[in-house]
Amino acid sequence: MILALLIVLSAFFSSSETSMMSLNRYRLKHLTKEGHKAAKRASKLLERPDRLLGTILVGNNIVNILAASIATVIATQIWGEAGIAIATIGLTIVILIFGEITPKTLAALRPELIAFPVSIILKFLQIILYPVVWICGAISNMLLKLIGVNTSDPNGDQLSTEELRTVVREAGLGMTRSRQNMLLGILDLEKMNVNDIMVPRNEAVGIDLEDDLSVINNQLRTCHHTRLPVFTNDINNVTGIVHMRSIARLLSRGELTKEALIHACKEPYFVPESTPLHTQLFNFQKQKRRIAIVVDEYGDVIGLVTLEDILEEIVGEFTTDMMLPSQDIHPQEDGTVVIEGSSAIRAINRQLKWKLPADGPKTLNGLITEQLESIPETSVCLTIGRYRMEILQTKDNMVKSVRIWDRALDRHPEDEPEAVAEGDKHDD
C-alpha cells in the first residue's frame, strides 16, 4: 500500500512540473488580471521558477528513492537476491508508465486542469521543504554562475515582433481570419515606409493653377477625392491642399475663382519617403492631417500619401476607394493576366495572391527593368521566380503592359524550368 501511494505521489509531482511549466503565460496573466484565484496562485509560484522546480524535484526524488527502497525490500523477501534486479526492472517500468509518461502527457495536454488544483499543495510544500530547497537552490545557482549563467536575468516572457506575429497566426479560440489580418497589418507597419504605399506623382490627381478656370471647375465637379493638391505648372510648385468642403458653396454657385481657390488652400504637409508607416500614422494624428506630400532626399515631390492608404494596410481596401487596383489588372480567359507596368507590386500580390519580390522596386516596370538591366523591347520574355512574363508594350522609356502567368499552376504550355531568361525574343 505504501509503494502504491508513493507511485501516485510520483505521478503527482511529475504532472505538477509539466503542467506548471506548460501554462500559457499570456493567458495566465489575463486570468490573473480578471481576478482568477487559482491563476493568481499559479502566477505567484512561477515568479520564482527555481524555488518551484526545487520543491517539485525534491519531493519527486524523495518519493522515487523511497519507492525504490521499499520495492527492493519486498522483492528480496520474495525472490531473494534475484529480487534486486526484478525490483529495478519492474519499478522502472511502473514509474515510467504510471509516474512519468502518462501523468506528464495529460499535464501537457490539459495544463490548467492540473496546475490550478495542485498549486494549493505546491504552495504548502514550498513552506515545508523551504530549508532543503533553499540549500539545493543556492548550490545550483552557484554552479550556474560558474558556467556564466546569470540566474537573475528575466525569464524571457517578452516577445519579439516576429514571435508575436507567429502567435497571431497560430491564434484560435474564435479569432477570425479578418481580425488576424488586421493584427498582422499593424505589426507590418514597422516594416514598410511611406515610399511603399504612396501614390506616384505621375498618378497623383491635383489642380494646376495654369489651367483655365473652366477646366478647373469641371475637374473639381467630377473629382472623387475630398482633398487635392493645388500647384502651379508642376507638382513641385505646390501651393497647398484644398478640401472640397471649403469650396463646395462657391463651386455650387459658380463663384469659384483662382484667388478663392488659393485662399481656401491649407499649407502643404511634406514627409520624407523613408518615414516608417507606424511613425507616419502617429504624425498624421499629431499634425491633424489626412494627406501628405512625399519628397525624396533632394526635396523633389515623388508622390502623395494619405491616412486612408495607411489604414488600408491594416483593414484592407476600402469599398469606397474609386481607384481600385483591378483597373490595372486584367485576367484573361487563358489563365494569364495582363497588368499595367505602373502597377504597384504590393497591389498585384495582394489582389492575385502572388509572391512577386517587393523588397526592391515598387512597380512592375521597375522590377522588370531591374532584372533586364535595360529598357526592354516589345515581345521580350523573362522569368522571375515562378512567374513568366511577356512584355506587350513599351512607351516613353517604360514598360506599359505585361502578360504574366504563374508557372506553378501549369497555366501555359510553353512553361520551362529556367530561372531567368533575359532577351528571350520570339515571333508572335
Side-chain angles (χ1 to χ4, degrees):
M1 292 177 62
I2 294 175
L3 182 60
L5 177 62
L6 292 174
I7 293 173
V8 171
L9 290 176
S10 177
F12 164 79
F13 284 113
S14 297
S15 61
S16 299
E17 178 187 1
T18 302
S19 62
M20 292 297 292
M21 295 299 107
S22 299
L23 284 173
N24 186 317
R25 302 300 173 89
Y26 303 100
R27 174 172 168 77
L28 188 63
K29 289 179 181 178
H30 170 71
L31 293 175
T32 301
K33 291 180 180 179
E34 294 292 322
H36 195 287
K37 292 183 178 180
K40 288 182 177 180
R41 191 166 51 245
S43 180
K44 189 69 175 178
L45 290 172
L46 288 170
E47 288 179 359
R48 290 297 302 271
D50 54 337
R51 290 184 182 178
L52 175 62
L53 289 175
T55 301
I56 294 174
L57 293 176
V58 167
N60 200 20
N61 278 278
I62 291 175
V63 166
N64 287 339
I65 293 172
L66 188 57
S69 301
I70 294 177
T72 302
V73 171
I74 295 174
T76 52
Q77 288 181 351
I78 299 176
W79 294 290
E81 293 184 0
I84 298 175
I86 295 174
T88 301
I89 296 173
L91 186 63
T92 300
I93 295 174
V94 171
I95 290 293
L96 279 175
I97 296 175
F98 298 101
E100 294 289 336
I101 298 175
T102 302
K104 285 190 174 183
T105 302
L106 175 61
L109 295 175
R110 300 288 187 273
E112 292 183 8
L113 180 66
I114 305 296
F116 288 168
V118 303
S119 62
I120 302 175
I121 302 175
L122 292 177
K123 185 178 180 180
F124 177 71
L125 288 176
Q126 267 194 344
I127 300 174
I128 296 178
L129 299 175
Y130 180 77
V132 179
V133 172
W134 185 86
I135 294 173
C136 294
I139 298 173
S140 174
N141 290 339
M142 183 173 60
L143 293 175
L144 289 174
K145 287 181 179 179
L146 290 176
I147 61 175
V149 178
N150 188 356
T151 58
S152 62
D153 282 344
N155 56 11
D157 280 347
Q158 296 81 7
L159 289 178
S160 67
T161 303
E162 291 301 323
E163 291 169 337
L164 185 57
R165 187 176 284 107
T166 301
V167 170
V168 174
R169 287 197 183 101
E170 299 297 327
L173 300 177
M175 180 176 288
T176 62
R177 176 68 64 179
S178 61
R179 291 182 180 179
Q180 286 184 343
N181 290 337
M182 287 177 64
L183 292 174
L184 291 173
I186 295 173
L187 294 175
D188 287 337
L189 289 184
E190 66 180 22
K191 298 170 58 178
M192 296 182 292
N193 297 331
V194 167
N195 188 33
D196 294 321
I197 67 167
M198 71 176 186
V199 179
R201 61 174 292 169
N202 62 318
E203 298 180 12
V205 178
I207 303 297
D208 188 354
L209 293 176
E210 294 291 324
D211 292 336
D212 292 336
L213 187 59
S214 59
V215 175
I216 295 176
N217 272 278
N218 182 63
Q219 185 178 0
L220 291 172
R221 292 179 187 276
T222 58
C223 184
H224 299 295
H225 304 283
T226 57
R227 294 171 177 82
L228 292 172
V230 178
F231 55 88
T232 303
N233 192 37
D234 186 84
I235 197 169
N236 278 314
N237 303 319
V238 179
T239 302
I241 304 295
V242 65
H243 197 297
M244 295 298 295
R245 182 174 54 194
S246 303
I247 59 173
R249 182 175 300 178
L250 295 175
L251 192 63
S252 62
R253 294 178 179 179
E255 300 175 354
L256 181 65
T257 63
K258 291 185 179 181
E259 291 74 15
L261 181 60
I262 296 174
H263 182 72
C265 287
K266 190 175 183 179
E267 184 179 353
Y269 172 44
F270 297 95
V271 298
E273 61 175 325
S274 59
T275 306
L277 286 190
H278 69 282
T279 302
Q280 187 55 48
L281 182 62
F282 288 116
N283 288 343
F284 273 136
Q285 183 182 29
K286 182 180 179 180
Q287 299 289 337
K288 301 187 185 312
R289 297 291 191 121
R290 300 285 293 272
I291 184 172
I293 299 173
V294 185
V295 296
D296 61 13
E297 58 182 320
Y298 303 105
D300 293 331
V301 175
I302 60 175
L304 301 175
V305 65
T306 66
L307 177 61
E308 287 77 9
D309 293 330
I310 300 179
L311 295 180
E312 283 181 355
E313 294 300 318
I314 301 175
V315 301
E317 297 286 348
F318 293 141
T319 56
T320 56
D321 190 356
M322 303 302 295
M323 300 296 291
L324 292 175
S326 58
Q327 293 182 353
D328 296 332
I329 301 175
H330 311 281
Q332 306 297 304
E333 293 182 358
D334 60 357
T336 63
V337 184
V338 175
I339 305 176
E340 299 297 321
S342 59
S343 300
I345 294 175
R346 297 185 69 257
I348 297 172
N349 288 340
R350 183 188 295 119
Q351 182 171 346
L352 299 179
K353 308 300 182 184
W354 284 0
K355 295 182 179 180
L356 288 170
D359 296 335
K362 308 304 179 184
T363 64
L364 183 58
N365 169 67
L367 179 64
I368 292 175
T369 54
E370 181 186 64
Q371 289 288 326
L372 297 180
E373 298 181 349
S374 64
I375 300 174
E377 300 177 8
T378 305
S379 299
V380 172
C381 291
L382 71 155
T383 300
I384 299 178
R386 70 184 197 187
Y387 304 100
R388 183 78 169 178
M389 303 182 183
E390 177 188 358
I391 299 171
L392 301 179
Q393 181 184 9
T394 58
K395 185 179 179 182
D396 298 331
N397 296 326
M398 67 175 294
V399 176
K400 299 296 290 184
S401 62
V402 186
R403 184 189 303 276
I404 308 179
W405 62 92
D406 187 349
R407 297 191 306 158
L409 300 179
D410 294 327
R411 289 180 173 177
H412 203 282
E414 297 179 3
D415 292 346
E416 297 178 0
E418 72 273 12
V420 176
E422 298 186 6
D424 177 17
K425 299 184 179 181
H426 65 84
D427 295 330
D428 290 339

